[in-house]
Amino acid sequence: MKRTLIELNNISKTYLSTSTPVHALRSISLSIAKGEMIAVMGPSGSGKSTLMNILGCLDVPDQGQYRFAGQDVMALDKDQLAHLRNKLVGFVFQNFNLLGRATALENVCLPMIYAGVSAPERERTGREALAMVGLAGREHHFPTQLSGGQQQRVAIARALVNKPGLLLADEPTGALDTKTSAEIMSLLQELHGGNGLSVVIVTHEPEVANYCQRIIRLIDGVIVSDELIPEASQLKGMGIH
Ligand SMILES: Nc1ncnc2c1ncn2[C@@H]1O[C@H](COP(=O)(O)OP(=O)(O)O)[C@@H](O)[C@H]1O
Ligand SMILES: [Mg+2]
């Protein structure tokens, strides 16, 4: 049996900042195994980003239990939460969120500075990470000198450079054309599972979701379906190498 990375039990999140409370997540239970690749789908406002923020320890639920890599997340204080997040979670966003004034290599190396890795080790690992996403030779390019797909690959290399257990991607192909989206999904498919990396991807595109092994659908803060995609129905990329 696959080992569990994440266990959510009856998680709820209500936003009270507005005049009427918004129940963004209502008693969600979910477990994620090491090495799983999951798509989260659902209409706008259904709670997808709230769920991602909680999974990534950027936000805490106001009810329920959350265990991540054997730790009780709800019992951690702010600093411990930040530590767990930096060590165990990588994030990828729709708009890449690269530093415009930094080269591809500098962008990829940034998380290692915060993690206290030595300069030569950062350079070596950063180059390796760029090669892993098919960008060897682009180390000194700035984001504006790279295509959207290449920028997203830099962002993926950056997210993985500290070897997290979980990669969270909120609409990673939302700004990309169909062909480039397929390339990014092939890449994520190639990278997931190695070293037990679990990947959770928010998308509204069925094509994108079909690269995953499991699809979770949210409506109004509730999981309305959670299905495994048979191996034979999964889209398979060609890889990038
Ligand atoms: N910081 C916030 N304050 C108040 N309401 C919020 C906040 N963030 C999200 N919401 C509300 O919570 C619900 C779920 O939002 P979200 O998780 O962003 O959905 P999705 O990513 O599926 O579009 C929406 O109704 C949204 O308006
Ligand atoms: Mg969202």
Side-chain angles (χ1 to χ4, degrees), residues 13-18 20 22-25 41-53 59 170 202 218 221:
K13 178 76 188 178
T14 302
Y15 293 109
L16 298 170
S17 51
T18 39
T20 46
V22 177
H23 300 289
L25 295 177
M41 303 188 79
S44 176
S46 57
K48 303 181 299 295
S49 294
T50 302
L51 176 63
M52 295 294 262
N53 290 343
D59 201 358
D170 202 340
V202 168
L218 283 175

Side-chain angles (χ1 to χ4, degrees), residues 32-43:
I32 298 177
K34 286 192 180 177
E36 254 191 313
M37 181 158 170
I38 302 177
V40 175
M41 303 188 79

Side-chain angles (χ1 to χ4, degrees), residues 46-68:
S46 57
K48 303 181 299 295
S49 294
T50 302
L51 176 63
M52 295 294 262
N53 290 343
I54 288 175
L55 288 176
C57 303
L58 287 166
D59 201 358
V60 283
D62 27 53
Q63 266 178 48
Q65 287 101 42
Y66 180 10
R67 292 189 74 79
F68 189 142

Side-chain angles (χ1 to χ4, degrees), residues 172-190:
T173 63
L176 304 175
D177 61 48
T178 310
K179 179 170 168 284
T180 310
S181 296
E183 285 166 10
I184 290 296
M185 289 310 296
S186 304
L187 174 63
L188 289 174
Q189 204 173 47
E190 190 179 316

Side-chain angles (χ1 to χ4, degrees), residues 69-83:
Q71 296 189 68
D72 179 2
V73 173
M74 312 281 280
L76 302 180
D77 66 26
K78 248 189 153 144
D79 288 348
Q80 292 170 317
L81 211 56
H83 182 72

Side-chain angles (χ1 to χ4, degrees), residues 212-225:
C212 299
Q213 303 163 324
R214 179 178 168 194
I215 302 181
I216 290 169
R217 288 174 210 277
L218 283 175
I219 293 181
D220 280 342
V222 175
I223 294 179
V224 293
S225 77

